[in-house]
Amino acid sequence: MLNSTEYKYIAMDENQVPYIAGTTMKVIELVAAHIAFGWSPAELQLRNVECRYKTLHKKLHLCL
């Protein structure tokens, strides 16, 4: 079960690992792809169809 946070696009699991709300995508996975490959939010969305563009953009903004 995911717990909500003050950010509507981010949820925490029982181990306090942040996920994109409504998905199984960990925040660290998106941040790592952005750092390692320089992928933009649009590129991340193409490679992670589970996530919506708005969510990715918000997530990157909060983490970088």
Side-chain angles (χ1 to χ4, degrees):
M1 176 182 217
L2 298 177
N3 299 314
S4 63
T5 66
E6 63 183 89
Y7 304 103
K8 69 179 184 177
Y9 298 116
I10 302 173
M12 304 289 264
D13 71 4
E14 60 277 352
N15 297 319
Q16 298 303 304
V17 175
Y19 284 82
I20 296 177
T23 74
T24 59
M25 178 68 63
K26 294 177 185 176
V27 172
I28 192 67
E29 293 170 347
L30 291 176
V31 173
H34 173 69
I35 292 170
F37 305 113
W39 292 345
S40 68
E43 290 171 312
L44 287 166
Q45 182 186 21
L46 288 174
R47 289 162 174 78
N48 299 289
V49 295
E50 180 179 14
C51 303
R52 298 188 194 289
Y53 180 78
K54 229 179 180 181
T55 303
L56 289 172
H57 203 62
K58 176 80 168 180
K59 181 67 73 185
L60 284 174
H61 174 72
L62 293 171
C63 297
L64 301 178

